[in-house]
Amino acid sequence: MIEILATLSASAAAGMRIAIPLLIMGLLQGSNYWSNVPVLSNISAPFLLGCLISWSLVELFASKRLWGQRILQIIQLFLSPLVGAIMGLAVVSATTTPNWLIILIGSSLALVLQLVQVGWFYRLRGLPLWAVFLQDMLCVALVLFAFDAPWQGGVIALILLWFAVRSAKEWYQWYHNRL
């Protein structure tokens, strides 16, 4: 159960940002960086570090502007399931839980949270600045929780999933009330 909660926490972070969770995860590994991560272990560590730092800075600064949010959401919508699966596998690399289940849970949660972000972006015509800062802080916290306190991180991820379900229900009612 702890493995699933850690997967939920890490994948929820990937549902908000792409490079920041991967960068934090690599830095938490110490000098090994991404050597235990299934897909990223095949890429040169200095090259990957440079790419993730660059993209993290783009995510941090571009997400504060409306045009940056639009561009980032398109990219994150396609890459969040992949990053969610990678994060899930990296957190629970040595368990008895089947890899296909971790990949399915991680990619699904990351995609759902990213879809909710896109929905709120278009409903509000841009995310407010306080929400973007909250996403950044929550993303970092979820990665740290995935490694150090998976129970708490998993509960936060489940609360975010509940929020996503509630948002979908509200959007459905809003849409049918407009008709």
Side-chain angles (χ1 to χ4, degrees), residues 46-175:
F47 176 74
L48 188 59
L49 185 63
C51 289
L52 289 176
I53 288 173
S54 301
W55 191 251
S56 294
L57 290 173
V58 168
E59 282 181 339
L60 286 174
F61 292 117
S63 65
K64 308 308 183 264
R65 302 269 186 225
L66 184 62
W67 60 267
Q69 289 177 4
R70 283 187 181 146
I71 293 169
L72 285 176
Q73 284 184 350
I74 292 169
I75 295 167
Q76 289 173 344
L77 188 61
F78 291 110
L79 292 179
S80 64
L82 175 67
V83 175
I86 291 171
M87 291 291 294
L89 286 174
V91 171
V92 292
S93 59
T95 66
T96 58
T97 309
N99 284 346
W100 65 268
L101 183 62
I102 299 296
I103 290 170
L104 182 67
I105 290 171
S107 60
S108 299
L109 181 63
L111 181 62
V112 164
L113 292 179
Q114 189 60 43
L115 286 170
V116 169
Q117 256 187 316
V118 170
W120 277 111
F121 174 79
Y122 285 106
R123 174 109 187 255
L124 298 175
R125 292 177 171 65
L127 295 175
L129 196 56
W130 64 267
V132 175
F133 281 119
L134 182 65
Q135 283 178 336
D136 292 339
M137 291 187 302
L138 194 56
C139 177
V140 172
L142 284 169
V143 174
L144 295 175
F145 280 148
F147 287 101
D148 295 334
W151 181 263
Q152 289 85 353
V155 169
I156 292 170
L158 288 173
I159 291 170
L160 289 173
L161 184 61
W162 173 78
F163 178 70
V165 171
R166 292 280 304 177
S167 293
K169 181 181 171 187
E170 291 296 322
W171 295 332
Y172 180 78
Q173 290 175 351
W174 173 75
Y175 178 74

